[in-house]
Amino acid sequence: MSVEVTKLPSGLTVVTDNMPHLETAALGVWAGVGGRDEKPNEHGISHLLEHMAFKGTTRRSAREIVEEIEAVGGDLNAGTSTETTAYYARVMKADVPLSLDVLADILANPSFVPDELEREKSVIVQEIGAAQDTPDDVVFEHLNELCYPDQPMGRSLLGTAKTLKLLDRDMLRGYLANHYRAPDMVVSAAGAVDHKRVVAEVEERFASFDPTPAPKPEPAMFGKGGSRVVHRDLEQAHLTLALEGVPQTDPALFSLQVFTNVVGGGMSSRLFQEVREKRGLCYSIYAFHAPYSDTGFFGLYTGTDPADAPEMMEVVVDVINEAVETLTEAEVARAKAQMKAGLLMALESCSSRAEQLARHILAYGRPQTLEELLGRINAVDVESTQAAARALLARSRPAVVALGSGRGLDTAVNFAEGLTTSKARVRLH
């Protein structure tokens, strides 16, 4: 691959992947800061800061920021997650310098005009309201609280109307100065890009960022599990379950991902086939594993008729427990093929490639080569997958949340206890 990496004297990393068959480029700034870095009085500030970045600088108004990019046919966006915040653009190759100038400007010179700040707070309050009207958002919010109690990772990224009200421009400036520092930032570009030119532009435009590392967040502590039933008058019961997974650098990561795919990663997964195709209990059911820097989150979601909730959870527990003991080579091969396909498909998109490279730098300190990634997938077999699955079931007590109405929800959440009292857990020891 044509990946090049330069670490500037300030500590900021520039990574590019030239894709010569393209006429466009995707580029962005990824900062290693997100919701888990917030103090209690800063709840929601990472997301608010991401919004305010587009609301004007000392050089450009909010309108000028978007007009300059859209005038050349490009687009500009951003996103906040638990551990990272990204600001990115997609443009024609000739407009890469313009994009870098805009991205540097919104992070180095934000104006935080008070009127704009109050308007954007109101916009986010509307966003919070929309999330509260979306049951699968609400149920995962409760699940995160249960998994990471009294920790930033257990709080919503959006904040609350109350916490947002207390955030002011001085707090935004302080948070930006404290967490957006060169050693914790990556400028990544893929597509029609020239590495030396990108490095030269970044070195000039991002020179003002502090060269000392940002403070690290407190270590994550997965909770004691347990259950929560949230009563709402809904047509469906929304069921979620979580276990402590593994961090990004854990050797078992790929084996656990294979197990996750076998259990609930697609239409051929055991849960989909058993719960939807054979029993008709739901429209949607899936499992996932989200790795972080120092912890991991194995999650499962489904929605069903409230009367069917107990049967649904009982089947979920049985399917997962059985999968640990009866995993087949064909299932592992299928899951590995899905992972390889996803990896290779991402390489065909410059946007996906730029994001992948930035996340690799933040997680591992360097880009992972295609050969490395494929090698790690190929190394997974039935035995390593079973070992990762047994460790998953032994690592924590399950956290389970049910959202909806009906008496069956309490019965449903109680069935989840059977997930870590299974033969799979006993065999680990």
Side-chain angles (χ1 to χ4, degrees), residues 5-270:
V5 182
T6 297
K7 192 163 189 176
L8 300 179
S10 66
L12 189 150
T13 300
V14 181
V15 58
T16 66
D17 187 3
N18 177 255
M19 304 166 75
H21 58 288
L22 297 184
E23 293 295 322
T24 63
L27 64 157
V29 183
W30 276 260
V33 56
R36 71 173 299 178
D37 295 275
E38 298 170 355
K39 298 174 182 176
N41 67 324
E42 296 172 332
H43 184 199
I45 196 170
S46 300
H47 180 250
L48 175 61
L49 182 58
E50 172 227 309
H51 274 238
M52 288 303 299
F54 298 103
K55 296 304 172 182
T57 73
T58 55
R59 294 170 49 201
R60 294 175 171 94
S61 68
R63 183 166 183 170
E64 287 170 339
I65 289 170
V66 294
E67 282 186 346
E68 284 194 41
I69 294 295
E70 292 186 357
V72 296
D75 60 76
L76 192 65
N77 214 328
T80 308
S81 69
T82 302
E83 294 190 317
T84 62
T85 307
Y87 306 81
Y88 45 90
R90 180 77 183 268
V91 293
M92 301 296 289
K93 63 181 180 182
D95 302 308
V96 168
L98 169 65
S99 300
L100 289 170
D101 184 56
V102 170
L103 291 170
D105 191 26
I106 64 177
L107 293 176
N109 310 303
S111 54
F112 299 141
V113 176
D115 288 347
E116 290 279 8
L117 178 57
E118 293 308 311
R119 272 195 293 271
E120 208 56 32
K121 287 184 187 180
S122 296
V123 169
I124 295 175
V125 168
Q126 300 305 314
E127 190 177 354
I128 293 170
Q132 290 301 310
D133 286 340
T134 308
D136 46 349
D137 284 350
V138 174
V139 75
F140 273 110
E141 190 171 308
H142 283 280
L143 186 66
N144 282 331
E145 289 178 2
L146 199 56
C147 291
Y148 299 102
D150 303 315
Q151 299 170 66
M153 288 187 69
R155 299 195 293 256
S156 164
L157 290 170
L158 301 179
T160 67
K162 183 178 180 180
T163 60
L164 285 170
K165 186 177 181 180
L166 301 175
L167 301 177
D168 58 33
R169 65 189 303 192
D170 290 335
M171 293 179 71
L172 284 171
R173 290 191 187 282
Y175 194 78
L176 181 65
N178 200 32
H179 293 286
Y180 281 70
R181 298 188 179 183
D184 303 284
M185 296 169 65
V186 177
V187 174
S188 180
V193 293
D194 177 86
H195 183 75
K196 290 183 179 179
R197 289 187 62 190
V198 172
V199 169
E201 295 282 351
V202 171
E203 196 162 20
E204 176 187 350
R205 301 182 193 285
F206 288 79
S208 64
F209 288 90
D210 193 320
T212 60
K216 299 298 180 186
E218 291 295 317
M221 297 293 292
F222 198 88
K224 297 179 180 179
S227 62
R228 181 181 298 180
V229 176
V230 183
H231 293 284
R232 276 201 183 184
D233 188 15
L234 300 170
E235 290 295 319
Q236 275 202 316
H238 298 264
L239 307 175
T240 56
L241 180 148
L243 294 164
E244 183 179 5
V246 298
Q248 291 165 326
T249 54
D250 194 287
L253 176 63
F254 281 53
S255 294
L256 181 54
Q257 186 59 56
V258 165
F259 178 73
T260 303
N261 287 355
V262 169
V263 169
M267 294 175 66
S268 64
S269 69
R270 290 199 180 197

Side-chain angles (χ1 to χ4, degrees), residues 230-392:
V230 183
H231 293 284
R232 276 201 183 184
D233 188 15
L234 300 170
E235 290 295 319
Q236 275 202 316
H238 298 264
L239 307 175
T240 56
L241 180 148
L243 294 164
E244 183 179 5
V246 298
Q248 291 165 326
T249 54
D250 194 287
L253 176 63
F254 281 53
S255 294
L256 181 54
Q257 186 59 56
V258 165
F259 178 73
T260 303
N261 287 355
V262 169
V263 169
M267 294 175 66
S268 64
S269 69
R270 290 199 180 197
L271 282 171
F272 192 93
Q273 287 295 312
E274 181 66 32
V275 174
R276 174 170 163 159
E277 298 299 278
K278 291 184 181 179
R279 298 177 183 245
L281 289 175
C282 70
Y283 173 75
S284 173
I285 185 166
Y286 60 87
F288 62 92
H289 178 259
Y292 298 107
S293 59
D294 59 350
T295 187
F297 184 95
F298 172 91
L300 181 145
Y301 166 84
T302 188
T304 190
D305 188 282
D308 292 328
E311 180 186 358
M312 170 67 83
M313 190 58 77
E314 186 174 20
V315 173
V316 164
V317 169
D318 288 345
V319 167
I320 294 176
N321 283 333
E322 184 180 356
V324 179
E325 302 304 321
T326 62
L327 200 66
T328 68
E329 290 187 5
E331 287 177 315
V332 170
R334 184 163 59 242
K336 289 164 65 174
Q338 290 173 330
M339 292 171 66
K340 290 178 188 177
L343 176 63
L344 293 170
M345 288 176 187
L347 295 179
E348 296 178 0
S349 161
C350 59
S351 296
S352 297
R353 186 63 177 139
E355 179 178 2
Q356 182 190 65
L357 289 169
R359 294 192 181 281
H360 282 183
I361 296 288
L362 291 172
Y364 307 111
R366 64 176 182 84
Q368 303 271 288
T369 67
L370 178 61
E371 291 73 23
E372 281 181 282
L373 295 170
L374 292 176
R376 292 180 67 186
I377 296 172
N378 287 331
V380 176
D381 56 22
V382 171
E383 289 73 23
S384 71
T385 304
Q386 287 179 317
R390 289 176 184 140
L392 173 72

